[in-house]
Amino acid sequence: AKHLAAARTGEEEPAPKAMRTALRDVMGRCIYGVDLNPMAIELCKINLWMEALEPGKPLSFLDHHIQCGNSLLGTTPELMEGGIPDDAFKPIQGDDKKVCAALRKQNKQERQGQRSLFVTHAETGLGDLAKQFEKLSASDDASLELVKAKAKEYRAAVASASYQHASLVADTWCAAFVWKRDGTALDGVRGLTTDLFRRLEESPGALPDEVRARVAELKNRYRFFHWHLAFPEVFREPELGEKPTSEQGGWSGGFDVVLGNPPWERIKLQEKEFFAARDPEIASAPNAAARRRMIAALKTTNPQLLEAFEQAKREAEGASHLVRRTGLYPLCGRGDVNTYTIFAELMRGLIGPAGRTGCIVPSGIATDDTTKYFFSEMVESGSLHSLYDFQSGPGLFSEIGHARFKFCLLTMLGPDVARPEGAEFAFFLRSTTVLRDPERRFMLSAEDMALLNPNTRTCPVFRTRRDAELTKSIYRRVPVLIKEGPPEENPWGIKFATMFHMSNDSHLFRTREQLEGDGFELEGNVFVMGEERWLPLYEAKMIHHFNHRFGDYAHRPAGSQSTALPEVPVERLQDPSYAPLPKYWVPAEEVEARLAGKWDREWLLGWRDITNATNERTVIAGVMPVAAVGHTCPLLLPNKGNESDRICLVANLGQFVLDYIARQKIGGTHLTYGFLEQFPLLPAATYSEVIPWGSSRSIGSWVQARVLELSCTTATLGALGLNCGYDGPPFGWDEARRFLLRCELDAAYFRLYGIGRDDVDYIMETFPIVKRKDEKAHGEYRTKRVILEIYDEMTEAIRTGEEYETRLDPPAGDARVAHSGAGH
């Protein structure tokens, strides 16, 4: 107060640096619509004033430049021109579905004979408001009297009947989405529909007093903010016959520069957070089902808290409803919305034809499936200028507390700004100084995005220029697994599926103790009693490359809280009768029902959903016997192609070359269908060709022999061998042979993908954890050395026409390395 009083009369020197820094922080929060009180807004004004304060002169008038509200929730002239959308009447928390359906039907009938809202504005004199604000900005405020006159003129403008009417129209349009439709009426109004809205456009008296009061209440609760009314001199009404520069907004103009670091949070109400301070017992419930039961019990134990929760839930749903249904965010306002995505779309829509916008947002804006429409549109339109991706750490959002959190500096251009051929990218940066290295920056065009991610047009995450060029060259030679149509290109006839959700389907699960208590007996890892069978529930962490016995709950130490499973000892893996035990079992008939019509073989191919581009390996996929499978291990079901060639998909998914490509594509921690279907995998036809390294055998038979020996190490995968013509006993588990088998496959796939030797060397160096483990165990990077040696031998065989000579004795898939005994 002291600083403000002194500053208004020009008696005080500029504020100390520490005070200005603190005020800037408050101002930054104000700009993005955080709910601030009037004092905070006044502090923002002080900050701006102090920056340019000259002793002896009064502070400039800036009230018309500082606005407060929820900048995400509002409307535009273009949206209002169509009346109230029918989607406004989709029910949210507390609404009656039948009432909503009736209002929706009524509104649909009323949405006839649309007319421009801009005409209404012109008739009420709103068109002059832009000129009044422009005059305010240009007029002199060198004396205290002139500042006071300026303030008076501004107050008169916003208090004018035309401005108040325009604000009421916009607020009413937004209020229609969050008006409570429970059957009650205010002055005969059960909901705000297009007919009432049109009458309000013509006359502010069209709203009954109680309805007007409810609109005002909703405006204050949701903090509706309309950019064309807050800044009419920036977002101006087009002249008669003029085409708006923003078709989505229906206005001409926009800001020259928009900068910001918007909040990164979900709009959806988080129950744990709500109850954390109000009822810690509910917040700490063991699972969602238990929490729902405890919340329902509040009806008798604490009805006031239940009412507060339901109100908070309705407000959160209302905000989400406004974001997803108004049409203000057609690209990002979908699904479980995170605020950073819609802020990015908003900021892009606020710049003028020659403007620029820059923001700090999570890197998922370019790589996630939920933002693919926004990113694709930016690339296609040329509005994306640059994206520089960073990882949090010392000096860069270190307070996040997650060393792998990825965020980016995103820059976008207005439509009239000259555009280069593509946008500039840089990924995995630890400091801004790295941007000086030209090898870390590279250009990607819309054509590149279509080549690398033809289905989603999302962005790959290359570390260097070399990675970008190498990956593009691979995609020019090898097609993606599935290219969405029309027409669809799916040579393997792939179907994706998840079998059991670990939470939603938990009522079907039983533990070992429960089944043994009911009289079931364990045979291998299947519980049996008479004709009834319970199959093991495989989780992603139980499988690995060519190993369906990678994790075993029986090996987890008693009392361990770790989610990881210890490695299975080699001695156990060498026993073909050994079967890992899961945490849960599921009725066999439930498994059969989930696979009905999708898959009829006695083996499954799945992959780990949880992953990271910085893990030891990124793509971990493998075969397993038919069993129950949790949702963290999605299934890939190939239903086309030669029966025996399907096993080659298992080989392809386990190779370093594919893993390298995956690391250029995955920016988060999930390997979803959207990523996998856009990986370049050799088509089925490839495996019918003759191997190029000097033999008359097909590529398929050469690969199959190695996959069978690596995978068919138990009788439970006998059906996989039978599919490929092998009906002998399980193959032995020999670590030395398995290493050579995998190195041969990796070298072969490097050749099949057309990778040059120098690039093979480079790719292998991008797996630092593999290298570190090798050096610790063998004193050298053994894996890379052997793969390169085999690659060179294959190259020589191709050059001379002589057959490549395997290092395996007996050769791969030979029955002599199988266990003695009866066949599968």
Side-chain angles (χ1 to χ4, degrees), residues 218-236:
L218 293 171
K219 172 187 173 68
N220 292 332
R221 181 178 300 170
Y222 288 94
R223 309 298 295 277
F224 299 144
F225 187 87
H226 316 294
W227 288 90
H228 66 290
L229 297 177
F231 301 100
E233 77 278 29
V234 177
F235 307 99
R236 64 177 180 81

Side-chain angles (χ1 to χ4, degrees), residues 8 45 49 52-53 57-63 141 147 150:
R8 285 193 181 281
K45 299 175 186 177
W49 283 328
L53 185 65
K57 288 189 176 182
L59 299 169
S60 300
F61 177 75
L62 295 170
D63 287 35
D141 52 9
V147 170
K150 213 170 184 180

Side-chain angles (χ1 to χ4, degrees), residues 71 140 144-145 205 229 275 328 330 358 538 607 654 804:
S71 56
D140 188 14
L144 191 59
E145 290 72 21
L229 297 177
F275 287 106
L328 195 59
Y538 273 82
W607 77 91
Y804 161 74

